[in-house]
Amino acid sequence: MFCKKYDVAVCGGGIAGCAAAIASAQRGMRTVLIENCAIPGGLATSGTVLVYLPLCDGEGHQIVFGLSERFLHAANRYGPAEPPAEWGRGGKNNRLQAYFSPASFVLSLDEMLTGHGVDLWFDTKIIGVEMRDVLRPGAVQVANKSGIGKIEAEIFIDATGDADVVHLAGGQCLHARNALVSWFVEHREAGAYSAYSFGKDISTIIVADNILNNSTPEGIDGKTVSDFLLRGRERYRRLLQKDYDGGVETRKTRYPIVLPTMVPMRHSRCIKGRFVLDNGMEQECFPDSIGLAPDWRKCGSVWEIPWRTLLPEKITGVIAAGRCSSAREDAWEVTRVIPNAAMTGEAAGTAAALSLRDGVLPHELDVQTLRKELKEKCGFPLCREDCGISRGSVPCAMEC
Ligand SMILES: Cc1cc2nc3c(=O)[nH]c(=O)nc-3n(C[C@H](O)[C@H](O)[C@H](O)COP(=O)(O)OP(=O)(O)OC[C@H]3O[C@@H](n4cnc5c(N)ncnc54)[C@H](O)[C@@H]3O)c2cc1C
């Protein structure tokens, strides 16, 4: 059994985990990134979810900055797309966003992670948590080609998308059900479907069944996850076969190229945090806001994200980031997407580093110290006024 020790262990190398690991390593912490897949990026790459949703509010204001903005450009460093030059004029079809080739994004993420000195453990699955005391993890148990081992750290960042670390540590979580949606990249000579295309003949197809019913899995049960994956591929097979049978396409002109290699679940399990961001809170100001998140579904909607949504209710020494930060329904729809996952990831990595520097646990960290670092060093706006958004008759009540 092997054992390694770090200052900060980032669990899960999706977009949130990558941002968290870079933010922590940038501040001099010995940082490890533990990832089950062979590549970084999580759903954005292994899940072939290849649209970097907006950093802006659709009304000409940029809302998300820092590593999230760097990732948007890095995603296309090796081609082929870019955000619209005219995004500042606003409008739902002209937002600061871009689709990307998952392979291109992986090459850039590798570069950024290694460039910042993050120690990468791919193909390594977290299978358990060892507690240092009743509430605080001291190590995660992992399995990889070396066998079963453990990685010790002072602080853990749960960026697993499914809150695996908090769950394994006995912390409380919130659950949601999933509709079936799978993204496939295919060759199609007819080019009829070209929402996100790579060259003339290669584009993305989204197979969806948005009906939620009792048989829809939550995404946290090993067997239903397999059924979910099989159902997505079955639907795609049927689409292809229908076209072949109808003579619309042949297997020479339309065929699959890339399938998701990670379970494409939007919601599964997130932490129950010290605060749960919930429906109807989009206009609220929070004294512990650590950043803003635009709503990709509608222009002009911007949410403040409280620090407490990254802190598990009871478990200590762990910070959540990305899709598994504490939110429900409408709020979860906003926090889970790529730009906002990168934002909470950077905040989590920064908070871990500051906590270690100040010799405190994350929940004891002075939130004003964190906010100052995020605003001054990462360029994060903390309230709408910071982005030049006027709240009209409802001015910000906080001292931002
Ligand atoms: C079908 C679908 C379509 C979507 N469309 C879009 C879109 O168009 N644009 C957009 O911006 N967002 C979209 N999203 C949402 C977005 O892709 C994700 O929510 C976002 O990428 C989440 O990032 P994350 O880092 O928080 O989590 P994830 O991407 O889930 O990353 C978690 C990482 O942790 C790893 N991991 C998990 N458990 C373990 C473990 N036990 N041990 C080791 N590693 C582990 C996983 O392998 C993964 O790499 C979509 C999601 C889905 C499912």
Side-chain angles (χ1 to χ4, degrees), residues 19 52 54-57 60-73 87 96 290-294 338-344 346-347 374-375 377-384 386-389:
Y52 206 109
L55 269 58
C56 72
D57 67 348
H61 306 102
Q62 184 169 344
I63 305 299
V64 187
F65 293 80
L67 284 171
S68 188
E69 183 179 8
R70 283 177 58 198
F71 283 178
L72 169 68
H73 296 289
W87 72 266
L96 180 52
I290 42 94
L292 301 179
I338 296 170
N340 304 336
M343 185 273 286
T344 53
E346 184 169 6
L374 291 171
K375 190 166 181 171
K377 301 271 172 52
C378 309
F380 280 24
L382 301 175
C383 66
R384 293 165 189 81
D386 286 346
C387 305
I389 301 173

Side-chain angles (χ1 to χ4, degrees), residues 12 15-16 35-36 42-43 49 51 53 126 160 164 323 336 338:
I15 293 306
E35 170 52 47
N36 186 36
L43 281 168
V49 166
V51 182
L53 282 170
I126 294 156
T160 58
D164 281 11
R323 189 159 75 85
R336 74 182 174 90
I338 296 170

